[in-house]
Amino acid sequence: MATTDPSLSAGRRTAEIKRHGQEAFDAMRKAGRLVAEGLDMILPHVRPGVTTARLDRLMFDFAMDHGAFPATLNYRGYRHSICASINHVVCHGQPDDKPMREGDIINIDYTVIVDGWHGDSSRMYAVGQLNRKAERLCEITHECLMRGIAAVRPGGNMGDIGHAIQSYAEAERCSVVRDFCGHGLGQLFHDAPNILHYGARGEGPRMEPGMLFTIEPMINLGKPHVKVLSDGWTAVTRDRSLSAQFEHTVGVTDTGVEIFTLSPAGLDYPIGKP
């Protein structure tokens, strides 16, 4: 789940960026693997005629069956175990009883709490056959995520991540949503730092070993502007253009970056080969 500002986070969030040790990394590997397994599990259920409410129930059951709990459920009034964002919904789409349709693209954002630690990830899924426009957007967005992750290294700056994402997206004639960002996490769902998906190389806080955060670019085919609907959660593109998002949880290591939420089955890009 993306964040807009510190007010979204409950608990002990401070402006200080936490640095974690080996025990925390071990815990994040466990939480990250489980959330990735959940996103793997749901793949065959994403098909025309299935409702996002059905997906939500399956993801709730998966967490409970594995001794975990969905972090979004009852979080600041949110009532679901996943965010399900279809087509022009940018993020925080709420599951409902409307059947998915052939050609839809959907982002499923899933966070689980395992032994007090948060694993957070999201993927795009194809509902049946996609047209080339939707498929291309998903390819670009996944590449944005991976380029952002490749920019993570000790001694680098947070702005390096945003620069890598923005420069690629805009070269592909897409836009980067600026209203939402990645975030620190660990024993808190949303913590410092905020990870912008746009920016300049060499700007922002310096990355140091032990930092934990999400990278989760939201990329639009049209303009970057979004609006939040009256439910207070669902964010959509103002021009109703398609939007896509991929997300991983990562940790800064002594030598580079570790991705905690990689799919054990190699399904990080479940639409096909990017």
Side-chain angles (χ1 to χ4, degrees), residues 134-150:
E135 189 177 57
R136 176 176 173 271
L137 175 63
C138 293
E139 290 172 358
I140 291 167
T141 306
H142 185 262
E143 181 65 17
C144 283
L145 171 64
M146 299 315 293
R147 288 183 180 224
I149 292 172

Side-chain angles (χ1 to χ4, degrees), residues 111-202:
T111 308
V112 295
I113 306 171
V114 180
D115 299 330
W117 293 84
H118 292 74
D120 188 1
S121 185
S122 79
R123 300 178 198 164
M124 296 301 299
Y125 297 81
V127 183
Q129 291 296 119
L130 299 185
N131 63 39
R132 180 54 189 153
K133 181 172 67 173
E135 189 177 57
R136 176 176 173 271
L137 175 63
C138 293
E139 290 172 358
I140 291 167
T141 306
H142 185 262
E143 181 65 17
C144 283
L145 171 64
M146 299 315 293
R147 288 183 180 224
I149 292 172
V152 176
R153 64 190 184 283
N157 295 84
M158 299 294 183
D160 301 350
I161 300 170
H163 174 79
I165 292 167
Q166 182 184 8
S167 59
Y168 180 76
E170 293 180 353
E172 295 294 328
R173 300 184 179 180
C174 294
S175 63
V176 180
V177 172
R178 288 159 166 75
D179 298 66
F180 301 93
C181 58
H183 53 89
L185 79 170
Q187 291 178 301
L188 288 182
F189 192 176
H190 294 95
D191 205 352
N194 287 340
I195 304 297
L196 303 182
H197 302 120
Y198 60 94
R201 187 183 290 119

Side-chain angles (χ1 to χ4, degrees), residues 12-211:
R12 303 178 301 279
R13 174 171 178 151
T14 67
E16 179 184 0
I17 303 174
K18 298 179 177 67
R19 294 180 60 185
H20 300 268
Q22 187 59 50
E23 288 186 5
F25 270 60
D26 290 343
M28 291 298 287
R29 291 184 191 108
K30 185 176 179 181
R33 182 179 177 89
L34 186 63
V35 79
E37 290 173 345
L39 291 171
D40 289 352
M41 177 276 296
I42 206 67
L43 176 59
H45 301 280
V46 180
R47 59 182 187 270
V50 177
T51 69
T52 50
R54 170 65 176 161
L55 302 181
D56 186 65
R57 289 192 293 272
L58 287 169
M59 292 299 240
F60 172 80
D61 290 343
F62 179 86
M64 299 302 289
D65 289 346
H66 290 82
F69 191 82
T72 56
L73 185 59
N74 301 319
Y75 178 75
R76 300 190 69 84
Y78 193 79
R79 297 176 298 165
H80 309 282
S81 298
I82 61 171
C83 297
S85 302
I86 296 177
N87 295 336
H88 73 291
V89 178
V90 176
C91 62
H92 303 162
Q94 299 194 66
D96 59 27
D97 292 322
K98 183 178 179 180
M100 293 181 289
R101 298 181 299 178
E102 181 82 19
D104 285 342
I105 55 173
I106 178 172
N107 176 270
I108 299 177
D109 192 342
Y110 191 43
T111 308
V112 295
I113 306 171
V114 180
D115 299 330
W117 293 84
H118 292 74
D120 188 1
S121 185
S122 79
R123 300 178 198 164
M124 296 301 299
Y125 297 81
V127 183
Q129 291 296 119
L130 299 185
N131 63 39
R132 180 54 189 153
K133 181 172 67 173
E135 189 177 57
R136 176 176 173 271
L137 175 63
C138 293
E139 290 172 358
I140 291 167
T141 306
H142 185 262
E143 181 65 17
C144 283
L145 171 64
M146 299 315 293
R147 288 183 180 224
I149 292 172
V152 176
R153 64 190 184 283
N157 295 84
M158 299 294 183
D160 301 350
I161 300 170
H163 174 79
I165 292 167
Q166 182 184 8
S167 59
Y168 180 76
E170 293 180 353
E172 295 294 328
R173 300 184 179 180
C174 294
S175 63
V176 180
V177 172
R178 288 159 166 75
D179 298 66
F180 301 93
C181 58
H183 53 89
L185 79 170
Q187 291 178 301
L188 288 182
F189 192 176
H190 294 95
D191 205 352
N194 287 340
I195 304 297
L196 303 182
H197 302 120
Y198 60 94
R201 187 183 290 119
E203 294 186 349
R206 187 170 296 274
M207 290 180 273
E208 299 179 16
M211 292 180 175

Side-chain angles (χ1 to χ4, degrees), residues 2-17:
T3 187
T4 51
D5 57 54
S7 67
L8 273 179
S9 298
R12 303 178 301 279
R13 174 171 178 151
T14 67
E16 179 184 0
I17 303 174

